[in-house]
Each structure stands twice: as structure tokens, then as C-alpha cells.
Amino acid sequence: MKKIIALVMSLTLMTSLVACGGGNSNTKNSNENAATPEVTEEADPTESTILGNANADKTLVVWTFTDEVKGMISDYYLKDNPDLPYNIEVVVVPTENYQTKLDPVLASGKNAPDVFTMEAAFVKKYIDSPFTMDLSKVGLEAKAGDTLPYVLDVAKDKDGVLKGLSWQGTPGAFFYRRSIAKEYLGVSEPDEVQALMNDFDGFIDVARTLDEKSGGKVHAISGTGDLTQVFYAAREHAWVENDTLVIDDKIKELFETAKILKDENLTTDAEQWSEAWFAGMSGDDVFGYLLPTWGLHYVLKTNAENATSGTSTSGDWGMVQGPSPYFWGGTWVGLREGTEMQEAAAQLVEYLTLNDDFLTAWAKNTGDFLSDQVVVDKIKGDFSEEFLAGQNHYDYFAEMAPKIDASKLQGSDYDIQALLGEQLIAYSNGEKDFDTAMEDFKAEVQNAFPTINVE
């Protein structure tokens, strides 16, 4: 699971201000007040495991950047399918090497996987390539009618062909401290807090109120980098339309909002994934964090205890939608075009993403939020999260997920957003005005993507 956290951290660094599915790492950092996921796991060598019938003549090969999939296959799929006439080889590739190892074997077809996973950061790269199979060929598209629309949209190529599925949805939320809300805002329950921040104007008002009433002690969020995922999701236009770079109005709003928060000292000015950013989760100076589903289990929970005092903020958190719907991360599974194990590959993908019994068991055992709306509706009433003072977070996520629009996601997004982040830092720090930052951004995009028209 550490590989998942490492991937999240590396991708966030590309899309947040600093370079601009979760894991279960709980490794304590040497900093007195923070626990940060360790990233040395990325250096581990590729792991290959044979599961099932080791003496079988045929092998279904699965490549993944997350060891989560290996557990799904060994602990669920093989137990439900004990007599498969083939074995399954699961290859877990370190996250920083995943694409560089996957690309050449897909291109050559030699030693290539039959099934492979794709993260939100690079899923479109493979969906829009000739290496992923049209899932209608194996009957999976017709069976995916209960899957969240945004999850399907992410895995459709430019022609609308579905080429991947996912077992999970990753809607984002705003996690806040109940005691801070009560003391400085006069409310503490989720519906009351959400009413104060239905948009970013309301969010800024809350930030200012917290600052004023706490005498500058409490900040709305740790850093302006936390805002980016929300604004990117709120755009009306994709980054590239008709081969031309489009700067949506939400980008200007992102810059303006970040500048207000920076100029008025409404954040702790901490970079995402830094020690200071994690420290706020166990302290009393940060009101909340914008995080997706996995952020609850693998970020907040693992950093809620103060290493010095031994106190914990567990039970003092609540969860609301926040100023705008968004999603962050996710893992999709696809079949390689040309696989000779097509039937077996389709059977596995169907089980992992569409099998009601498996999805129900997986959600109840891990807390992972599902992409299957029917299964979610059946089980959402069964959850109560002690960390969130008993709040049914699953029910809230179920309300948020259908609002997500991922139709604008493109393969170049993360690289473009990394370039934008550099300009956002400069603008927020007062080093450039908005027009200069945009002109520099356009120039960098043109240099990185010569085929994109920049006007």
C-alpha cells in the first residue's frame, strides 16, 4: 500500500503549487508533530507473484502500480474461482518506473500484460492509445450501466469508446475540525458548515472569520496548493479544444482566490505533503483539508496523533462537500489489445469492477468508496465513521459522486497543470501580475507541446 501513497505524493507534486486510491502507510516522521508517508518504497524492485494454479500451462499476466490489486486477486478472486485452468502472474512495478516499463512492452507485445492498471494521472494516455481494448468487444460495456458516469467518462477515448473500468469512485470533500467550527463559527454539524461554504466566496468569508475571531491563530487551510484540484474540476472547458490551449475563467478565479488567501495570511503557507502540512492534522491551527475518499483513511487518520503530546484529533472531524464538487485519483483496469488471454482477462476485469458480491465485501472490509451506484445505495446506510464523530461519510460521498464531471480530463492535463502551478506560485508571491503569468504559462505550454496552438 505504501506504493499508492508514494504515487499520490509524486502526482500531487506535479499538480499542486510546489511543482505545479490511497495506501495504508502509517510510518512516523522524525518531525515532532507530523507523520508523513515514507517514499523510499518507490525504490523497491519490481515484484512478480504467481497466484493460483502454479502448474497450469497458461498464465494471465496482470501489471499494476498498486499492490492492492494483488490482494484483490489472492484474497477474493481466487477464492471465488478456485479451479481456474490457468495461473495468474501479478507484476507490481514501482510507481516511478511504471510507465517507463509498461510503454515498451505494450509497443512490442513481448512479455506484455494481459490486464493492466491506470491511474487518473496517466489513464488518458493509455485510453487514447491503440494498446487498450474496446470493452464492448468482450461485453463489459453493456454490463457497466450502474457505474458512475464520471468513472466511465474518464475511460472513454476521443471517439467515446470505453476502454477501462474501475471498482472505485474518488469524490473529494472538505474535512474540517468540529471544535474549531463551534468555537469560531458557532456551528459544528456538517449541514451547518456546508451552508457557510457553498462556493468560494463563502469559503473566503469563513477563512476571514476564522482569522479574525481567533486573532490570526486559526487558518482555513494549510496552503493554497490544496485548492487546485477543486478549481480544475470546476472548469467549463478542457485545457485543449480543437488543438488550441484554452484558459478557463476558473483559472483566473483560482489565481485570485490563492492571492487573497496568501495576502491575508489565511493559510499556514505549507506545501502539500510537507511536514508542516501533515502537522496541521494533529494541531489546532488548521481548520480543514480538501481531500478525496482515500484522504480520510490514508492521510488524515494516519496523521491525527501528535507525536509529542500523544493527543489525537480523531473524533473531532466532520466532512462536507465544500465549495465545489471534484474528484482526485482513482485506478482503472483495462485489457491489452491483442491479448491471447482475452476471455480470462475480461472475466477478471468484470469481477474486480462489476461483481456485486465482491464490491460489497471489498467496501465493507476496506471502506473504499465504490463506482457501482446500485451497490453503494444498498450499503451506504451501514457506515458510521468514529474518526468523523460517527458521521456516515459513505452516505455523503454517495451524494457527491454523481455531481462529478470528468468529461474534460485529457492526457496532457497533468503536465499542463504542472506548468500552471509554477506561475501560480509566482503570482501568489507577488512576483508577477496575472497577465505576465499567463503569457509565461502559454510560452511554456507551447515549448512543451509544439502541436498545441497557443493564442
Side-chain angles (χ1 to χ4, degrees):
M1 293 293 188
K2 295 176 184 176
K3 293 182 175 66
I4 306 172
I5 281 289
L7 175 66
V8 169
M9 293 179 68
S10 65
L11 297 178
T12 302
L13 291 174
M14 290 195 294
T15 57
S16 70
L17 292 180
V18 296
C20 26
N24 67 353
S25 174
N26 192 21
T27 304
K28 294 293 182 182
N29 188 276
S30 59
N31 178 270
E32 289 185 341
N33 297 316
T36 60
E38 63 181 42
V39 298
T40 55
E41 185 75 9
E42 287 189 333
D44 285 353
T46 296
E47 301 172 2
S48 177
T49 305
I50 301 295
L51 302 172
N53 184 1
N55 296 318
D57 294 332
K58 294 183 178 180
T59 299
L60 178 70
V61 180
V62 179
W63 276 37
T64 175
F65 56 85
T66 163
D67 53 9
E68 196 171 35
V69 171
K70 183 168 69 173
M72 290 176 165
I73 294 173
S74 63
D75 298 340
Y76 296 88
Y77 185 64
L78 290 178
K79 288 183 179 179
D80 286 343
N81 299 273
D83 299 319
L84 295 176
Y86 53 85
N87 59 57
I88 302 177
E89 180 182 8
V90 180
V91 180
V92 182
V93 182
T95 54
E96 82 280 13
N97 295 332
Y98 188 71
Q99 294 181 72
T100 56
K101 286 194 173 185
L102 181 60
D103 290 352
V105 297
L106 289 178
S108 68
K110 184 177 181 181
N111 298 320
D114 303 292
V115 173
F116 60 98
T117 63
M118 302 163 281
E119 210 275 348
F122 51 78
V123 59
K124 281 294 187 181
K125 168 184 173 181
Y126 295 105
I127 294 300
D128 288 330
S129 78
F131 305 125
T132 41
M133 182 182 295
D134 176 355
L135 296 186
S136 67
K137 292 182 178 179
V138 289
L140 293 184
E141 182 173 18
K143 298 177 181 179
D146 296 333
T147 302
L148 285 165
Y150 100 80
V151 172
L152 297 178
D153 285 343
V154 169
K156 290 180 180 178
D157 69 11
K158 296 174 182 178
D159 297 319
V161 177
L162 183 66
K163 302 175 77 177
L165 290 170
S166 178
W167 65 87
Q168 63 185 172
T170 55
F174 182 72
F175 295 89
Y176 70 92
R177 292 284 297 282
R178 290 173 181 264
S179 60
I180 292 176
K182 188 66 175 178
E183 182 173 358
Y184 300 114
L185 302 177
V187 297
S188 62
E189 290 304 307
D191 290 347
E192 300 170 320
V193 172
Q194 177 61 36
L196 299 177
M197 55 172 65
N198 281 322
D199 53 32
F200 271 101
D201 288 337
F203 184 82
I204 292 173
D205 287 342
V206 166
R208 287 169 170 160
T209 299
L210 292 169
D211 179 67
E212 178 184 356
K213 292 191 174 182
S214 71
K217 174 187 174 183
V218 176
H219 307 273
I221 54 177
S222 279
T224 51
D226 291 9
L227 303 173
T228 55
Q229 297 292 337
V230 187
F231 276 101
Y232 293 152
R235 290 173 298 139
E236 293 184 8
H237 297 280
W239 279 115
V240 181
E241 295 180 352
N242 297 319
D243 298 321
T244 301
L245 179 70
V246 178
I247 300 177
D248 192 274
D249 289 343
K250 282 295 178 182
I251 299 306
K252 185 173 184 179
E253 186 179 346
L254 166 61
F255 274 60
E256 291 173 345
T257 302
K259 191 72 162 63
I260 290 171
L261 294 174
K262 175 79 173 182
D263 287 350
E264 298 183 23
N265 295 315
L266 301 179
T267 80
T268 62
D269 205 23
E271 297 178 349
Q272 281 184 318
W273 310 111
S274 68
E275 292 182 354
W277 188 78
F278 284 105
M281 300 174 190
S282 63
D284 294 314
D285 61 343
V286 178
F287 179 50
Y289 289 81
L290 288 154
L291 291 166
T293 49
W294 47 262
L296 168 62
H297 300 293
Y298 308 128
V299 180
L300 283 179
K301 284 185 177 181
T302 58
N303 290 281
E305 182 178 337
N306 188 293
T308 301
S309 66
T311 59
S312 174
T313 57
S314 178
D316 189 37
W317 294 86
M319 187 187 87
V320 296
Q321 170 67 85
S324 183
Y326 70 102
F327 81 101
W328 185 358
T331 302
W332 281 258
V333 190
L335 278 68
R336 177 177 61 85
E337 181 65 49
T339 172
E340 296 180 359
M341 297 287 287
Q342 180 173 300
E343 183 177 349
Q347 180 182 343
L348 175 62
V349 172
E350 179 177 358
Y351 180 91
L352 295 180
T353 62
L354 302 175
N355 184 287
D356 287 3
D357 290 338
F358 162 69
L359 293 173
T360 299
W362 179 253
K364 291 185 175 181
N365 290 337
T366 67
D368 206 1
F369 187 78
L370 303 175
S371 63
D372 190 303
Q373 297 177 97
V374 172
V375 177
V376 167
D377 285 342
K378 288 180 181 178
I379 67 175
K380 65 183 182 181
D382 298 337
F383 292 83
S384 176
E385 179 53 62
E386 183 179 355
F387 187 85
L388 300 176
Q391 182 179 356
N392 186 337
H393 63 297
Y394 217 90
D395 193 32
Y396 264 68
F397 280 132
E399 291 182 17
M400 300 172 189
K403 302 174 185 177
I404 297 170
D405 177 9
S407 60
K408 297 177 290 295
L409 188 68
Q410 297 174 327
S412 58
D413 282 4
Y414 285 89
D415 291 328
I416 290 176
Q417 287 160 194
L419 297 174
L420 182 77
E422 296 172 2
Q423 302 306 320
L424 185 53
I425 292 174
Y427 176 76
S428 300
N429 290 337
E431 299 166 5
K432 297 180 182 180
D433 60 28
F434 182 75
D435 290 340
T436 301
M438 287 300 98
E439 288 304 313
D440 291 346
F441 169 59
K442 292 176 183 178
E444 291 181 353
V445 171
Q446 185 70 88
N447 183 60
F449 298 95
T451 60
I452 295 178
N453 298 320
V454 176
E455 299 176 351

